[in-house]
């Protein structure tokens, strides 16, 4: 029999008298339920994506009597396909009993604790990149499912809505019996297997449970009722869920996409030993919620005279040169997004003149505008200005910085040129 025919047979397989068997409490009922779910997954995926039936014969074998099929134990042959939404193509890998090793270090695939083997795993990553590269670049998401035939009343365990149920569960907990262990195992999959977006129990009950970690469909945990029945198997609800996940992957502006990039950007390199701050800083709440030292920047600027500094304090403005001339401000991302301004003047070796930048960006002032503002001796046709205010955080009061130790500082005439430093580097130059 060809792979294609065998695949079609497996996807459509129904055990004779299946409903009676599943209700009779047979000894191997859990295994049969696991097999049935496998075939249902194949059927669903054939409807949704172009699954390639290659090597399916390596996963399915005939029974000893030759009258039916069974899954080969210990096999993790994956099935792969592509979902084409028009605007984006998504690779999909369906694996039965895939082992996620606990022996590999980040950023490799696998578990970061112990080896885990969900019953079924769906993996999604962008078309045009290998699965291995998708793991390394945080572009892949795994969704796991476990078959739990023996927990037909799982809903009661996952949604205790009375004091009686809660008290009974607490009694069981004290005995070391945790009836919600199946959901907790989904937490284990979600938390231990790298790049897992969701983990769900499949059980022959009646009610669906889906819990979202944040606002979107993944990350999530929950349970889906699937019953071997000719009338209402519950497969339609699982199919709708899978389609919703695929639609989520088509959305390029999802929060999950942003989180994946942030994770990649933060963890792609080990932290440098010098990249540490144990100095006092404002706590990261309220107005300082975004104060991450590596992503918070300090502009270091020069003032020419006391008259210039008095103008800055009076107008709460600081000016930079415009244009391509030496000493003009370089408008890179760090400079434009700077949160603080440290000022110094000629022959100073250290400074405590720290200001907070409060404008949302840089403003352009003409020479005439500067004259109207009583700026002393304007020489440029145009200037860039930022609005500032004195820092009020107690952690910065009375503090002095040796700005000459900053990597952007240049001696001689270039000491008057503006430059930008991260708050991490800046605080390492703190003197008192």
């Amino acid at each position: 029999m060809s792979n294609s025919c065998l695949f079609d047979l497996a996807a459509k397989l129904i055990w004779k008298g299946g409903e009676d068997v599943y209700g009779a409490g047979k000894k191997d009922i859990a295994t049969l339920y696991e097999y049935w779910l496998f075939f249902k997954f194949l059927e669903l995926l054939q409807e949704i994506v172009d699954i390639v039936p290659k090597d399916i014969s390596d996963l399915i074998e005939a029974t000893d009597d030759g009258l039916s099929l069974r899954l080969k134990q210990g096999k993790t042959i994956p099935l792969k396909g592509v979902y084409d939404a028009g605007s984006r193509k998504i690779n999909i890998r369906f694996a039965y009993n895939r082992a996620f090793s606990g022996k590999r270090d980040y950023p490799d695939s696998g578990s970061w604790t112990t080896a885990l083997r969900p019953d079924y795993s769906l993996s999604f990553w962008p078309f045009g990149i290998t699965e291995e590269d998708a793991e390394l670049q945080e572009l892949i998401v795994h969704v796991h499912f476990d078959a739990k035939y023996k927990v037909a009343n799982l809903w009661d365990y996952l949604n205790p809505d009375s004091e009686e149920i809660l008290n009974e569960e607490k009694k069981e907990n004290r005995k070391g019996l945790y009836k919600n262990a199946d959901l907790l195992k989904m937490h284990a999959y979600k938390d231990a297997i790298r790049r897992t977006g969701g983990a769900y129990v499949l059980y022959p009950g009646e009610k669906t449970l889906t819990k979202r970690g944040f606002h979107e469909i993944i990350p999530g945990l929950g349970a889906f009722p699937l019953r071997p029945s000719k009338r209402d198997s519950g497969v339609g609800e699982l199919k709708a869920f899978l389609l919703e996940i695929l639609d989520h992957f088509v959305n390029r502006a999802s929060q999950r996409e942003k989180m994946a990039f942030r994770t990649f950007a933060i963890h792609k390199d080990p932290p440098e030993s010098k990249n540490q701050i144990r100095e006092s800083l404002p706590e990261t709440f309220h107005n300082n919620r975004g104060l991450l030292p590596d992503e918070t920047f300090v502009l270091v600027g020069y003032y020419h005279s006391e008259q210039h500094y008095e103008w800055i304090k009076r107008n709460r403005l600081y000016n930079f040169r415009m244009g391509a001339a030496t000493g003009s401000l370089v408008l890179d991302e760090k400079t434009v997004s700077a949160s603080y301004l440290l000022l110094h003047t000629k022959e100073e070796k250290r400074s405590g003149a720290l200001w907070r930048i409060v404008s949302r960006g840089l403003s352009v002032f003409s020479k005439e505008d500067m004259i109207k503002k009583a700026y002393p001796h304007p020489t440029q046709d145009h200037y860039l200005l930022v609005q500032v205010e004195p820092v009020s955080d107690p952690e910065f009061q009375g503090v002095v910085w040796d700005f000459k130790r900053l990597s952007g500082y240049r001696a001689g005439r270039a000491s008057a040129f503006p430059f930008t430093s991260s708050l991490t580097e800046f605080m390492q130059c703190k003197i008192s």
Side-chain angles (χ1 to χ4, degrees):
M1 183 181 295
S2 69
N3 283 344
S4 179
C5 292
L6 189 56
F7 181 80
D8 290 339
L9 176 62
K12 297 175 181 177
L13 181 62
I14 299 175
W15 279 280
K16 184 177 181 180
E19 290 185 80
D20 295 333
V21 171
Y22 281 100
K26 298 279 185 177
K27 185 177 180 180
D28 60 351
I29 193 70
T31 301
L32 291 176
Y33 182 62
E34 186 176 317
Y35 289 179
W36 178 81
L37 287 172
F38 172 80
F39 297 132
K40 282 299 176 184
F41 262 115
L42 293 186
E43 186 179 328
L44 273 180
L45 293 172
Q46 274 193 311
E47 295 175 6
I48 297 173
V49 299
D50 182 19
I51 284 289
V52 180
K54 182 180 179 181
D55 295 330
I56 190 68
S57 59
D58 291 337
L59 191 60
I60 302 174
E61 63 184 356
T63 58
D64 294 336
D65 58 14
L67 298 178
S68 59
L69 299 175
R70 66 187 174 196
L71 300 181
K72 289 183 179 180
Q73 295 300 307
K75 293 288 185 178
T76 57
I77 305 297
L79 300 172
K80 297 181 180 179
V82 177
Y83 176 76
D84 188 351
S87 60
R88 193 181 197 187
K89 291 182 179 180
I90 305 294
N91 285 310
I92 300 179
R93 178 190 189 195
F94 171 59
Y96 170 69
N97 276 347
R98 177 182 176 181
F100 291 84
S101 172
K103 297 180 179 180
R104 297 178 179 178
D105 294 330
Y106 183 87
D108 288 339
S109 64
S111 164
W112 64 277
T113 52
T114 187
L116 293 168
R117 188 191 293 268
D119 290 339
Y120 320 98
S121 295
L122 283 168
S123 303
F124 307 85
W125 71 96
F127 185 78
I129 187 174
T130 66
E131 183 175 354
E132 292 73 19
D133 283 343
E135 289 275 5
L136 298 179
Q137 296 187 44
E138 298 288 341
L139 287 171
I140 198 168
V141 176
H142 306 292
V143 178
H144 310 292
F145 300 88
D146 256 7
K148 300 295 180 184
Y149 184 78
K150 295 182 179 180
V151 286
N153 57 341
L154 181 68
W155 180 261
D156 292 334
Y157 301 148
L158 303 186
N159 281 278
D161 55 3
S162 70
E163 287 294 323
E164 181 179 351
I165 293 175
L166 289 171
N167 291 335
E168 181 63 27
E169 183 172 358
K170 182 169 285 191
K171 290 179 183 179
E172 296 295 333
N173 290 349
R174 288 170 179 165
K175 296 177 184 179
L177 302 175
Y178 291 87
K179 290 185 177 181
N180 61 354
D182 296 296
L183 186 63
L184 294 180
K185 190 172 183 180
M186 299 306 101
H187 274 286
Y189 291 159
K190 167 68 180 63
D191 297 333
I193 300 175
R194 296 185 184 104
R195 304 165 191 106
T196 290
Y200 303 86
V201 171
L202 303 176
Y203 77 111
E206 298 180 354
K207 296 183 179 180
T208 298
L209 173 73
T210 55
K211 295 289 186 180
R212 300 188 177 194
F214 301 104
H215 308 292
E216 298 173 333
I217 191 169
I218 53 177
L221 293 170
F224 288 94
L226 274 84
R227 303 166 298 280
S229 169
K230 294 178 180 179
R231 293 177 294 275
D232 182 18
S233 65
V235 172
E237 193 165 4
L238 179 60
K239 179 180 179 181
F241 175 71
L242 295 180
L243 287 172
E244 189 175 354
I245 285 181
L246 285 167
D247 183 65
H248 168 78
F249 280 106
V250 174
N251 176 17
R252 303 299 293 272
S254 69
Q255 293 180 326
R256 180 200 53 78
E257 289 262 2
K258 298 173 187 175
M259 186 184 303
F261 173 74
R262 283 288 188 174
T263 301
F264 169 73
I266 291 169
H267 297 297
K268 63 184 177 67
D269 298 312
E272 298 180 13
S273 58
K274 65 179 182 179
N275 201 36
Q276 299 183 26
I277 296 181
R278 289 180 172 80
E279 304 290 346
S280 294
L281 281 176
E283 291 295 341
T284 54
F285 49 70
H286 299 323
N287 293 335
N288 288 320
R289 187 63 190 90
L291 196 150
L292 300 175
D294 285 349
E295 299 178 20
T296 301
F297 299 99
V298 181
L299 263 171
V300 179
Y302 183 86
Y303 62 91
H304 303 285
S305 62
E306 284 301 319
Q307 185 183 13
H308 184 195
Y309 194 40
E310 288 300 321
W311 182 88
I312 295 169
K313 291 191 290 184
R314 182 171 64 254
N315 291 276
R316 302 215 169 172
L317 292 170
Y318 181 74
N319 58 292
F320 302 91
R321 289 183 179 181
M322 280 188 67
T326 302
S328 297
L329 186 65
V330 177
L331 297 178
D332 58 17
E333 182 180 357
K334 296 177 181 179
T335 299
V336 173
S337 63
S339 299
Y340 296 98
L341 171 69
L342 180 73
L343 294 176
H344 68 98
T345 192
K346 186 177 181 180
E347 297 182 353
E348 274 191 329
K349 296 181 179 180
R350 58 195 63 178
S351 173
L354 186 66
W355 295 74
R356 181 187 292 274
I357 298 174
V358 295
S359 53
R360 298 182 64 181
L362 295 160
S363 300
V364 178
F365 275 46
S366 66
K367 185 176 183 178
E368 290 72 21
D369 293 329
M370 298 297 282
I371 292 173
K372 291 177 182 178
K373 286 283 186 181
Y375 181 75
H377 314 300
T379 59
Q380 306 293 314
D381 290 333
H382 293 89
Y383 293 86
L384 289 172
L385 280 87
V386 290
Q387 186 177 353
V388 297
E389 67 180 19
V391 292
S392 57
D393 304 289
E395 293 84 359
F396 290 142
Q397 301 303 312
V399 179
V400 174
W401 288 270
D402 183 359
F403 57 87
K404 292 187 176 182
R405 288 166 49 194
L406 296 172
S407 59
Y409 177 79
R410 299 291 181 267
R413 287 189 60 216
S415 63
F417 298 168
F419 64 93
T420 309
S421 167
S422 72
L423 186 59
T424 300
E425 181 192 21
F426 186 70
M427 292 304 295
Q428 291 168 353
C429 295
K430 175 183 173 183
I431 295 176
S432 61

